[in-house]
Amino acid sequence: MTSKEIKIAYTEFTSLDELESKDKELAQAAIDATAQAYAPYSKFNVGAAVLFEDGVIVKGSNQENAAYPSGLCAERTALFYASASRPDKAMVAISIAAVHNGELCETPATPCGACRQVMAQYQLKSGLPMMVLLVGAHKIWKFDKVDDLLPLIFDSI
Ligand code: THU
């Protein structure tokens, strides 16, 4: 028997101004996307912004529905829109932000398992690491690749 350990590394920033300019632009796009959320039930407005290798940024937001499971998280809205509109372009990063009661959440919103799996798929499709930038009011967490949020990713069929 062998005990093994998986370590996850990420970087914490305390303000948008600490980010390099492209990351700051992506984080701001995620914050801006929260304004386009349709979240009448949870009132938890989530924004996501996907960065392509060529510099283009595509935004998405959570879209809720009276039949609750029919709604979709911001991350998957953004990722599916990104892939559907630019199928031949590689995605290299995603940023996520959440606004509740009119305020950017203090602690970053962390993506659900289904969204992590979808991120993993587009990372696999592009063949490049997908950076994940989670934006809170005074905590910004940067993960270099989806694997850091989803160790032992399923990608084997
Ligand atoms: N939500 C997201 O859009 N992304 C997340 O990372 C967490 C949760 C949405 C789903 C639902 O519309 C609302 O936030 C409350 O869970």
Side-chain angles (χ1 to χ4, degrees), residues 28-67:
Q28 189 59 56
I31 294 169
D32 293 348
T34 64
Q36 294 163 333
Y38 177 59
Y41 303 103
S42 71
K43 302 193 183 342
F44 190 70
N45 289 11
V46 186
V50 172
L51 173 68
F52 286 92
E53 195 181 12
D54 63 4
V56 170
I57 292 174
V58 164
K59 292 184 281 184
S61 50
N62 56 329
Q63 302 295 317
E64 297 185 349
N65 192 278

Side-chain angles (χ1 to χ4, degrees), residues 30-31 33 36-37 40 53 56 58 60 68 81 88 96 108 133 138 153:
I31 294 169
Q36 294 163 333
E53 195 181 12
V56 170
V58 164
Y68 284 15
Y81 174 49
D88 301 323
I96 300 148
L133 191 61
H138 299 103
I153 289 173

Side-chain angles (χ1 to χ4, degrees), residues 6-10 75 94-96 108-120 123 130-135 141-154:
I6 295 173
K7 288 194 178 170
I8 294 170
Y10 64 100
E75 296 90 323
I94 183 168
S95 181
I96 300 148
T110 50
C112 75
C115 288
R116 294 178 198 210
Q117 183 65 35
V118 172
M119 287 176 202
Q123 177 178 262
M130 182 185 286
M131 185 271 275
V132 184
L133 191 61
L134 307 181
V135 183
W141 295 338
K142 179 172 178 169
F143 299 81
D144 290 339
K145 55 191 183 309
V146 177
D147 314 52
D148 295 329
L149 284 165
L150 188 62
L152 307 177
I153 289 173
F154 172 74

Side-chain angles (χ1 to χ4, degrees), residues 82-103:
S83 182
S85 54
R86 310 188 83 226
D88 301 323
K89 303 284 185 186
M91 300 179 205
V92 293
I94 183 168
S95 181
I96 300 148
V99 166
H100 193 46
N101 296 326
E103 303 272 358

